[in-house]
Amino acid sequence: MSKKSYGIGIDTGGTFTDSILKNLKSGEVESFAKVPTTHFDLGKGIEACLEVLLKDKNIQKEEIEVIGVSSTLATNAVVEKKGGDTALFIIGIEKHMELPVAGFKFIEGGHDVFGNEVKPLNMEALVDGILFFKGRVDSYAVVSAMSFANPSHELVAKKAIILVDDKPVYISSDVSTAPGLEERAATAVLNARLMPVMENFIKGLKKSVEKYADIKTLKIIDGEGGFLNFDEVVERSVKTFGSGPASTAYFGGLNSDNAIVCDIGGTTTDILLVENKKPVIDDTSKIGELDTHVRTIRMKTIGLGGDSRIGLDFRKKLFIGPKRVEPLCFKDKILSPDKWMESFENDLLFYLNLKEEASLEIKKCFEKKEYLTIKDFYLNMGKNEKTKEQIQDFVNRGVLGVCGFTPTDALCILKKIKAPFEKNSLIAASILSKELGISVNEFCEKVLGIIEDKLVDSIVEFLTSHSSGKKIKEVFPDWRQNKYLKIEFGSKFPIIGAGAASGHLLEGVAKKLNTKLILPNFHELGNALGALSIVIEK
């Protein structure tokens, strides 16, 4: 009897962790799973997802040949300014840079553009610098003048740091052969900052995966549609920036030669481009506010998803996003929205999530009530800027969850999806729609119309920038309301949907761009399938 052969694809998204099990001999998808992402420990969410995926499958460890993992870890760490404290050594040139470092030191040395040594490396100053930072930082980054022509001073500095302080070290020549001291420095610093974060992730991932498979089968998808082996990913952490979108783009390439790929998650939407079945790649990328030499998928990300917060501002203008909240239609036993929701303020409901140790102050807030409005929370904690920051921190860590009206609730009311607690959505929509003087259904249609227009605008901006190098806003600041011209756009490429909400939110987008919408099999798990497909092919 021949041995069975399986592959697993995993994607840790901003809202859900998805996994998919594929029979590598038949090509059939045999099971899939979706569980909430555990931001405080991604490994726990992955373990829970694998448990559901492989339940009752009776698959032996040796039968799982490959596991591809795409993750938002690097992206989220940069956006949320997480990471270790890093010391930066700049060799050969005294140039101040705005970089997220704990400290930096200039060292004599460096080379010219032909690779000739300009000055010898000042080893005494280098060692003094290492001794100063020892015990104060988690990692080191090194960039030397013209190291793309001759990296010897960076290599010597790296060895010296390792001998004096046993902390991770990253040098710019490890990632880039292109000129540009600031971009090289930024790349080195980001990688050094991410290394401790990635190390923790890998430890949790190893613990989660080795229950089900040989850890050597594990591959981490990088930002340009390749992968890193399990044992090299910490050293090259920054290369995983854009891992999720790379998997999405690859998934798109499986289904069309040329396409716009839109991955609509709970929190964000990624827009990508596939040409000749291959994702379009950028040789440089902007990570956070920093220009780097990291090669990534060309993409545009907007803060709009199926769980984006919806409300009215003080002018009674409808807004959607960028913050994510839990849809009301999936929340059981919450206070009825008419007890806490107001049209302009207090339209979020907080609840305690004890998956991570909370502060004593937070626990006291929730001793008598499972759910609190923001107003009640402020009464307990005191309203100030620090409290606002605490709330967001607690939400990011999974201590607090947030409920509110979302596009998912609108879809539920319009019968486009089924959800168990539609009544919550209806009550909330009636409160918001009343302020606008329209019916509940009209309000929900208005929500979807705004989302469609935002997606159309973003696709037009993305394609205009890609094809001409210019932003549409530079030529037509508000092309929809142009006084003299009736401007319409159409796409020559079809739109491929990925993510659970794409089937409901992209149909109108495709119509407005006069193109076809493609929803491939398992598009709800596109990133997980894309991650596995990258590993199988490459």
Side-chain angles (χ1 to χ4, degrees):
M1 186 175 178
S2 61
K3 186 185 81 168
K4 295 177 183 177
S5 176
Y6 293 96
I8 294 175
I10 301 171
D11 174 62
T12 60
T15 306
F16 288 104
T17 294
D18 298 338
S19 63
I20 197 161
L21 176 71
K22 193 172 187 179
N23 186 317
L24 297 182
K25 291 186 176 179
S26 68
E28 295 293 319
V29 172
E30 294 200 358
S31 68
F32 54 87
K34 184 183 286 282
V35 303
T37 294
T38 49
H39 289 280
F40 60 92
D41 184 347
L42 295 177
K44 289 188 176 181
I46 290 173
E47 185 175 345
C49 203
L50 287 173
E51 186 177 343
V52 175
L53 182 77
L54 299 173
K55 187 178 181 181
D56 300 327
K57 287 294 177 184
N58 195 29
I59 294 174
Q60 305 302 310
K61 274 189 174 184
E62 60 272 17
E63 293 175 338
I64 298 175
E65 295 194 9
V66 291
I67 300 177
V69 179
S70 70
S71 173
T72 59
L73 177 70
T75 306
N76 291 344
V78 172
V79 170
E80 295 167 14
K81 297 182 180 178
K82 293 180 179 178
D85 290 329
T86 297
L88 171 64
F89 288 104
I90 304 173
I91 300 172
I93 188 169
E94 191 167 330
K95 186 174 184 179
H96 291 270
M97 307 175 199
E98 292 293 326
L99 294 172
V101 294
F104 54 86
K105 189 171 179 62
F106 303 109
I107 308 292
E108 286 186 341
H111 296 79
D112 63 22
V113 71
F114 302 107
N116 301 312
E117 187 177 73
V118 174
K119 284 185 178 180
L121 179 62
N122 188 333
M123 289 299 298
E124 185 177 350
L126 176 64
V127 173
D128 285 346
I130 302 168
L131 290 172
F132 174 79
F133 287 121
K134 186 177 181 180
R136 301 182 182 185
V137 297
D138 304 302
S139 59
Y140 294 86
V142 182
V143 61
S144 178
M146 304 300 170
S147 59
F148 63 89
N150 188 336
S152 59
H153 284 181
E154 288 187 356
L155 293 166
V156 171
K158 181 175 182 178
K159 287 184 179 180
I161 293 169
I162 291 170
L163 287 171
V164 178
D165 190 3
D166 186 22
K167 289 290 193 323
V169 186
Y170 198 71
I171 59 178
S172 76
S173 51
D174 281 343
V175 74
S176 176
T177 57
L181 186 73
E182 289 195 37
E183 291 84 354
R184 295 167 68 83
T187 305
V189 165
L190 285 178
N191 196 85
R193 279 175 57 80
L194 285 170
M195 286 168 82
V197 177
M198 186 61 72
E199 192 168 27
N200 286 334
F201 172 59
I202 289 299
K203 284 179 183 177
L205 189 58
K206 182 176 185 292
K207 186 179 177 182
S208 302
V209 168
E210 62 186 0
K211 290 182 180 181
Y212 304 99
D214 185 339
I215 201 67
K216 292 179 182 178
T217 65
L218 190 66
K219 313 293 180 186
I220 311 296
I221 306 305
D222 65 29
E224 55 180 312
F227 64 80
L228 298 167
N229 291 318
F230 176 78
D231 56 0
E232 65 178 338
V233 69
V234 173
E235 282 288 327
R236 306 173 75 185
S237 301
V238 77
K239 282 185 67 65
T240 64
F241 180 80
S243 170
S247 299
T248 307
Y250 199 88
F251 170 74
L254 295 174
N255 295 282
S256 180
D257 290 351
N258 302 295
I260 304 157
V261 186
C262 287
D263 177 20
I264 303 180
T267 311
T268 60
T269 294
D270 293 324
I271 301 169
L272 313 117
L273 188 62
V274 171
E275 292 188 280
N276 300 317
K277 283 193 171 293
K278 299 294 181 185
V280 175
I281 305 289
D282 279 329
D283 289 328
T284 61
S285 60
K286 198 173 188 71
I287 300 180
E289 298 300 316
L290 302 176
D291 292 315
T292 74
H293 283 172
V294 180
R295 281 173 55 85
T296 61
I297 297 292
R298 181 167 293 180
M299 59 181 165
K300 181 177 180 65
T301 301
I302 58 174
L304 180 69
D307 299 340
S308 292
R309 176 187 174 217
I310 293 174
L312 301 173
D313 64 19
F314 67 94
R315 296 166 299 181
K316 293 190 180 182
K317 186 176 180 181
L318 191 65
F319 66 80
I320 303 174
K323 289 186 178 179
R324 175 190 171 271
V325 295
E326 298 276 347
L328 297 171
C329 57
F330 287 106
K331 298 305 297 179
D332 188 13
K333 298 178 182 177
I334 65 168
L335 289 169
S336 176
D338 58 357
K339 304 290 186 186
W340 56 269
M341 180 174 275
E342 298 174 10
S343 55
F344 308 122
E345 296 181 2
N346 204 25
D347 57 345
L348 297 178
L349 183 68
F350 284 78
Y351 64 97
L352 185 62
N353 183 339
L354 290 172
K355 290 179 180 176
E356 184 173 307
E357 189 67 22
S359 70
L360 289 174
E361 298 164 293
I362 294 293
K363 286 186 175 180
K364 285 180 181 178
C365 285
F366 289 93
E367 279 178 351
K368 295 180 180 179
K369 292 182 179 179
E370 185 177 358
Y371 297 94
L372 287 175
T373 66
I374 289 182
K375 188 181 288 185
D376 289 337
F377 191 83
Y378 280 146
L379 286 173
N380 282 277
M381 297 288 288
K383 184 175 181 180
N384 54 54
E385 287 302 315
K386 187 178 178 182
T387 310
K388 289 181 180 180
E389 291 175 7
Q390 280 183 322
I391 290 173
Q392 194 55 51
D393 180 55
F394 291 140
V395 171
N396 291 340
R397 284 164 43 201
V399 177
L400 294 177
V402 189
C403 301
F405 193 82
T406 69
T408 300
D409 293 294
L411 290 169
C412 173
I413 291 170
L414 295 173
K415 308 299 182 187
K416 293 180 182 290
I417 63 169
K418 290 183 179 180
F421 308 108
E422 181 185 341
K423 184 179 178 182
N424 293 335
S425 305
L426 280 167
I427 295 171
S430 66
I431 294 169
L432 297 171
S433 62
K434 187 177 179 181
E435 290 292 336
L436 298 180
I438 57 178
S439 71
V440 167
N441 273 32
E442 287 173 329
F443 174 75
C444 293
E445 293 287 1
K446 185 178 180 68
V447 165
L448 298 189
I450 291 173
I451 291 173
E452 288 173 3
D453 285 346
K454 282 179 176 286
L455 290 171
V456 168
D457 289 353
S458 297
I459 290 170
V460 168
E461 287 173 14
F462 179 64
L463 294 180
T464 303
S465 177
H466 173 68
S467 60
S468 69
K470 295 182 180 179
K471 296 179 180 179
I472 186 68
K473 290 180 180 178
E474 294 174 5
V475 184
F476 299 110
D478 190 355
W479 60 270
R480 290 182 184 279
Q481 307 299 327
N482 189 276
K483 182 178 179 180
Y484 305 103
L485 299 171
K486 181 180 179 183
I487 302 171
E488 295 179 347
F489 290 94
S491 172
K492 293 181 178 179
F493 288 5
I495 297 173
I496 293 180
S502 62
H504 306 291
L505 299 179
L506 288 177
E507 188 175 344
V509 173
K511 285 181 181 177
K512 289 177 179 179
L513 287 173
N514 195 28
T515 191
K516 180 172 68 170
L517 173 63
I518 300 174
L519 294 173
N521 290 336
F522 303 105
H523 67 273
E524 303 93 334
L525 304 149
N527 284 11
L529 189 54
L532 175 59
S533 300
I534 286 172
V535 177
I536 291 172
E537 181 176 301
K538 298 190 177 185

